Amino acid sequence: MPSPLFADRSAQPPEPGAVDALITRTRRLRGDVDAVRRDAVAGEDGPHHRWQRALCDLAVHQLDDLGAHLGQLKAGLPDERAVDSSAAYAPPPGPDAPRSPGSLLSRVGSAEWDLLTDEVHWSEELFRIFGRPRQTGPLSLDELPSLVFAEDQPLLQAMVTECLIDGKPIDGEFRIVRSDGRVRTVHMTGEPVLDDTGGTASMWAVLRDVSELRRSERAVRESRDSLHQHQRIAHAERRAAVELQEAVLPPWRGSLRFAHEGPAPLDVAALYLPAASTGLIGGDWYDALTLPDGDALLTVGDLTGHGVAATSSMAMLLGALRGMAVAGIRPGALMGHLNQLLETAAQPALGSALCCRYDPTARTLSWAQAGHPAPLLFRAGEGRALSRPDGMLLGATGGAVYEEAETPLLPGDLLLLHTDGLARSGGTPDDTTGRDRLLALAPRLATARDAQECVRAVVAEFGDGPRADDACVMAVRVGGGS
């Protein structure tokens, strides 16, 4: 009884038009996936991109296999002179043409073992898969395990025994070691061929070299596991950064009154806004503190970076700032000390900061800045940015000098302090679009009942859109009579 593998299937050919259409669609899809794979290769080399590239490689291998099968379906069963010449995308090469180890033409072979005559038939492709010269002859079922990994031999022997004795089809994989030392993974499917009495006369099988496919699947699994591990680490780091930030920033929410014993107390409210695009916690801070002499400390700032490193540096800097302010150090000198601290820190960073000291008796604001947006002063329904005293970024250079400015305030005045992530417009450093949008809020801020409502108005204008960086905003309203 002839093997189903070598039987004449021309009696029921597939519809040529339908198969051609499938081949065309497979080619097109394969090209599209290959283009996506090239883009992924040219991208960044993070865990997410490695996972994308591995998936693309796997998809390409599977589409190549699909194209090969469709090509066989279109051509019909090849005769014994050209068994398994399954070229889906190109005509078969000549007999002397080189074939790459990973090409489709070397990945599918066939075999038949005749139990009555002990004859064995291997296709040309199967010799290539096993790395055996044709003149050495095919391997019998007893000889086949000699090339199989020791741990895979029981599986192969069980499959062959169940096929020959119980008539069960074969479907399994095992690894072989070729004569050149290369290890290949082979997927074997087959069935017994029965004689007229129902006994097993022979066994046929199709063997596919699935090494590249399994390698791609393994790469997908490994890259996916790496991506999940990266995500778990990122989640843990973000949680630690959030907890550290919550421990350092002021615990108060809503409006609070500062310097309330003086004739012009302050109504203060502030808010931290995380980055909308990354979800990472940065080094932005805000703080308001009543000092021992009755003055009020008002500060906002921003350190470069995100995550635990940025928040830990922020915690160190804010702690030093509070301590020096309580000790009576003025804003300009205080900035100089912060610059020295950041410059000599074990973890180098740059930062911008605004440090203000408010005297409720004199109603004056003494302040210094380090590469930071100036406070915005809103008075009588109009707003303007205060003139910045000189001061470069913290940590940029040693021995920097920070000038100090003094601004008189009136009852009803509103100060808006913010980090540059709030109103950054994405243009040049001199672009004032964001600042102009803040100043345009003057009529709305003039009618706000308290500092908290002023913060809500700013968030309504800037808080809903995507931000590339986190930000802080603080509203400070001066109370008291005229």
Side-chain angles (χ1 to χ4, degrees):
M1 182 175 182
S3 162
L5 184 66
F6 295 99
D8 184 4
R9 286 180 285 181
S10 60
Q12 294 180 341
E15 291 290 337
V19 176
D20 286 339
L22 286 174
I23 291 176
T24 300
R25 289 163 60 186
T26 303
R27 289 177 180 174
R28 185 179 298 114
L29 183 58
R30 206 273 192 197
D32 292 342
V33 173
D34 200 42
V36 173
R37 179 174 62 169
R38 288 195 301 270
D39 292 341
V41 169
E44 300 178 8
D45 193 31
H48 183 72
H49 289 82
R50 288 195 293 269
W51 172 70
Q52 285 182 322
R53 290 196 293 271
L55 278 180
C56 289
D57 289 339
L58 177 59
V60 166
H61 284 307
Q62 291 174 331
L63 287 171
D64 284 344
D65 284 347
L66 176 60
H69 301 330
L70 291 174
Q72 289 178 331
L73 186 62
K74 177 182 177 181
L77 182 71
D79 58 31
E80 295 187 21
R81 294 171 299 173
V83 174
D84 300 313
S85 182
S86 52
Y89 298 106
D96 298 326
R99 302 186 182 198
S100 61
S103 69
L104 288 173
L105 298 177
S106 65
R107 287 216 300 265
V108 183
S110 61
E112 184 172 8
W113 291 272
D114 192 315
L115 303 183
L116 302 179
T117 65
D118 289 333
E119 292 182 353
V120 181
H121 299 282
W122 275 22
S123 69
E124 292 288 346
E125 308 304 333
L126 192 56
F127 279 102
R128 294 189 180 94
I129 291 174
F130 277 77
R132 288 176 61 83
R134 186 171 183 81
Q135 58 267 26
T136 62
L139 296 175
S140 67
L141 288 176
D142 292 331
E143 296 170 329
L144 187 60
S146 65
L147 298 184
V148 177
F149 265 49
E151 53 265 38
D152 294 348
Q153 290 178 6
L155 172 64
L156 174 62
Q157 292 169 348
M159 289 193 302
V160 171
T161 300
E162 291 177 352
C163 179
L164 298 179
I165 297 178
D166 301 328
K168 294 183 178 180
I170 293 175
D171 190 354
E173 290 184 10
F174 51 87
R175 292 163 295 170
I176 63 172
V177 182
R178 296 163 33 124
S179 59
D180 58 6
R182 296 174 60 192
V183 177
R184 310 301 292 174
T185 301
V186 177
H187 187 171
M188 184 177 185
T189 57
E191 294 180 355
V193 179
L194 306 180
D195 58 20
D196 295 338
T197 64
T200 302
S202 64
M203 187 186 82
W204 67 269
V206 173
L207 295 94
R208 298 174 58 227
D209 183 351
V210 295
S211 304
E212 299 302 324
L213 182 62
R214 296 297 174 255
R215 187 175 296 113
S216 294
E217 291 173 342
R218 186 167 58 252
V220 169
R221 289 193 302 270
E222 292 173 354
S223 60
R224 182 181 61 239
D225 293 343
S226 175
L227 177 61
H228 288 168
Q229 179 68 10
H230 178 77
Q231 291 173 336
R232 286 192 292 269
I233 293 174
H235 177 74
E237 180 176 331
R238 187 181 190 281
R239 181 174 180 178
V242 169
E243 292 176 352
L244 180 58
Q245 182 195 60
E246 290 177 347
V248 172
L249 293 185
W252 42 269
R253 298 293 183 268
S255 294
L256 283 184
R257 292 175 66 85
F258 288 87
H260 51 82
E261 295 182 357
L266 300 179
D267 177 24
V268 180
L271 185 66
Y272 171 81
L273 300 171
S277 57
T278 63
L280 295 175
I281 301 299
D284 288 53
W285 80 79
Y286 65 86
D287 198 13
L289 184 67
T290 300
L291 300 176
D293 60 1
D295 289 357
L297 168 70
L298 306 169
T299 178
V300 294
D302 177 19
L303 286 180
T304 55
H306 293 89
V308 174
T311 51
S312 60
S313 296
M314 178 267 289
M316 173 196 69
L317 207 65
L318 186 54
L321 190 154
R322 289 168 174 166
M324 287 186 284
V326 168
I329 298 177
R330 303 294 298 178
L334 190 152
M335 284 293 187
H337 292 306
L338 289 183
N339 178 67
Q340 184 179 6
L341 176 63
L342 202 58
E343 186 193 13
T344 59
Q347 198 166 34
L350 294 175
S352 69
L354 180 64
C355 181
C356 307
R357 189 181 185 103
Y358 173 69
D359 182 346
T361 302
R363 294 176 181 170
T364 57
L365 184 76
S366 301
W367 61 285
Q369 62 85 29
H372 199 85
L376 303 182
L377 174 61
F378 295 86
R379 177 179 293 169
E382 296 182 353
R384 65 180 179 89
L386 299 181
S387 297
R388 293 198 312 172
D390 289 340
M392 64 176 56
L393 286 171
L394 298 176
T397 183
V401 176
Y402 296 86
E403 294 184 357
E404 187 172 314
E406 188 171 291
T407 303
L409 299 178
L410 300 177
D413 282 352
L414 174 70
L415 288 171
L416 203 61
L417 283 60
H418 66 90
T419 57
D420 60 357
L422 175 71
R424 183 180 294 146
S425 58
T428 64
D430 296 330
D431 191 347
T432 61
T433 304
R435 186 188 69 183
D436 293 342
R437 287 176 60 194
L438 281 170
L439 294 175
L441 295 175
R444 195 187 313 178
L445 298 178
T447 60
R449 291 170 300 185
D450 55 19
Q452 182 65 25
E453 191 168 319
C454 293
V455 170
R456 292 195 188 103
V458 173
V459 172
E461 177 69 22
F462 291 92
D464 294 335
R467 283 182 311 280
D469 198 5
D470 50 353
C472 288
V473 58
M474 176 184 289
V476 181
R477 175 169 282 175
V478 181
S482 56

